[in-house]
């Protein structure tokens, strides 16, 4: 599945949530989608938990 199709599906899901559930449902779907994206990247090995923790703390390990 390419990124355009993924973007389309996410947009449709957010649209339905916003239309039927209001702004709070729109935000909830967006946040849960972001959490799912990060968990998926962690499971695939594209990012490491330590890198994510450093990013959230504002640290730069590359120096």
């Amino acid at each position: 599945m390419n990124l355009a199709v993924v973007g389309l599906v996410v947009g449709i899901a957010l649209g339905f949530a916003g239309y039927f559930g209001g702004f709070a449902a729109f935000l909830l779907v967006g946040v849960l989608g972001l959490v799912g994206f990060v968990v998926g990247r962690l499971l695939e090995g594209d990012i490491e938990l330590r890198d994510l923790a450093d990013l959230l703390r504002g640290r730069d390990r590359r120096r």
Side-chain angles (χ1 to χ4, degrees):
M1 189 181 280
N2 64 19
L3 291 177
V5 174
V6 172
L8 176 67
V9 170
V10 169
I12 289 171
L14 288 173
F16 275 117
Y19 183 76
F20 292 110
F23 187 68
F26 174 81
L27 287 179
L28 180 65
V29 169
V31 168
L32 291 177
L34 181 62
V35 169
F37 174 76
V38 171
V39 169
R41 290 293 216 174
L42 285 169
L43 292 176
E44 287 179 353
D46 292 337
I47 57 174
E48 293 183 19
L49 196 55
R50 181 178 296 157
D51 294 338
L52 183 62
D54 288 343
L55 177 69
L56 292 175
R57 288 186 190 126
R59 295 182 184 166
D60 189 6
R61 287 184 34 191
R62 293 177 290 183
R63 292 186 212 173

